[in-house]
Amino acid sequence: MTMLPDTATLQAIPLAVEQCDVTVVGGAGHVGIPLVLALAEAGFRVNVNDTNRASIDILRAGCLPFIECGAEVVLKQALLGRRLAFTRSPEGISKGGPVIITIGTPIDEFLNPVRKVVQDCIDGILPYLADGQLVVLRSTVFPGTTDWLASYLQSRGRDLLVAFCPERIVQGSGLKELRELPQIVSGTTPEAERSVAELFGRIVPEVVVLSPIEAEFAKLFTNSYRYIEFAVTNEFYLIAKSAGVDYQRVLKAMKHDYPRLNALPRPGFAAGPCLVKDTMQLDAFARNQFALGHAALLINEGLVLHVVDDLKRRYDLAKSTVGLLGMAFKAESDDTRASLSYKFKKVLSVQTRAVLTTDPFVTTDPELRPLDEVIANSDLLIHCAPHAAYRDADFRGKPVFDLWGHLQGNNVIR
Ligand SMILES: NC(=O)c1ccc[n+]([C@@H]2O[C@H](COP(=O)([O-])OP(=O)(O)OC[C@H]3O[C@@H](n4cnc5c(N)ncnc54)[C@H](O)[C@@H]3O)[C@@H](O)[C@H]2O)c1
């Protein structure tokens, strides 16, 4: 077993920013942290630049602001090995070595990308970058953004190398996947392409080179495809259900020893911070004509309303207290961003006597109650995020709606 140093030991040995080989802007975020740790593991001294003071303080103390599998040991070793420096403003950017940008890239009320966040970030750090430095976009961006950035920098009289390397990790297992998955890299000039391939070649098993716009599409296609996959199985569920057929039985039989259906997922509540947003970025690029993307949105978002209507037909919801099990957007995660559990909460709060919520991982929602209390005080339960902890829970015979097909028993409704 690895003996980990205590917090005081870790804090006593800071690394100076000037000694860093690489800067990660947004380095304390979900994408930033695994990348920072993978770089540190590969021997880089990393400047973790992030405006979120709370997350920086947590990292500096050798802890993680959210769940990231296997990361704590690597973080502590990186701190102890003096491989991490922490900065909170653009002035903290290291002038030497590449600068990798992993900030959030949201969509707006029109479901269009907020391109300005990238420009604002660049404008902020530009005075502190040295000509010749490599700037890598790792956030998911609207197609054309990388080439736009290169011309924008040129128009400002700056001579920087510009690259785009999309992050395609599954959230929570980023560090593991960075060690295992190929990395798509792209650069706006041969020198940028060479530099970024060399940089990522040190932390991933294989690099695959594309042009910037190809790489931007590769990322959006990857996430949109995944979102559509969930929609396919969710629509099959709805069709089977309309005929009074248990889709889980059909799905199990269809997939049994039939490799061509390996990719067909179980039905479930598909959302989270990336899939919807990236499908909509692609839709914005496609002039709102991304038909499959729209269909997926209708199905995946509409599923919550179908479930509520279904429960309304079976139970007197107005007189019921409904308990929501799992508020994270997916299993074994503490991330509630764009979680459909909160859509359930919103819709049900005006149609029921009360809504109670619980989650074993989420730490950011003061309204959460312990599981036992939610079970005891609810008339009806909905299995929203399929955390493993719910598989063997005692629901005291209360009806539990389980779309995922994870729970067994006479009280389980599908
Ligand atoms: N979460 C995922 O699993 C995942 C996977 C692949 C790609 N992506 C993409 O990666 C990007 C980041 O997503 P995330 O989930 O890590 O977001 P996040 O909100 O967890 O992390 C972003 C971090 O950037 C920091 N930040 C924002 N603006 C900054 C600035 N100007 N200077 C310094 N720090 C700044 C924030 O404080 C935050 O810590 C997005 O484009 C997302 O679509 C995310």
Side-chain angles (χ1 to χ4, degrees), residues 281-324:
Q281 293 212 62
L282 191 55
D283 182 51
F285 183 86
R287 308 285 184 273
N288 289 140
Q289 301 298 308
F290 179 19
L292 278 174
H294 279 279
L297 184 75
L298 293 179
I299 295 160
N300 290 333
E301 288 285 315
L303 190 58
V304 170
L305 306 177
H306 278 283
V307 171
V308 171
D309 283 349
D310 181 34
L311 294 175
K312 221 185 313 184
R313 279 190 291 272
R314 299 175 196 229
Y315 302 95
D316 187 354
L317 284 190
K319 292 187 180 144
S320 304
T321 296
V322 178
L324 302 182

Side-chain angles (χ1 to χ4, degrees), residues 171 269 271-273 327-331 333 335-341 385:
Q171 192 173 308
F269 302 114
M327 300 306 287
F329 82 90
K330 65 172 185 174
S333 168
D335 190 349
T336 58
R337 292 178 297 170
S339 165
L340 288 179
S341 306

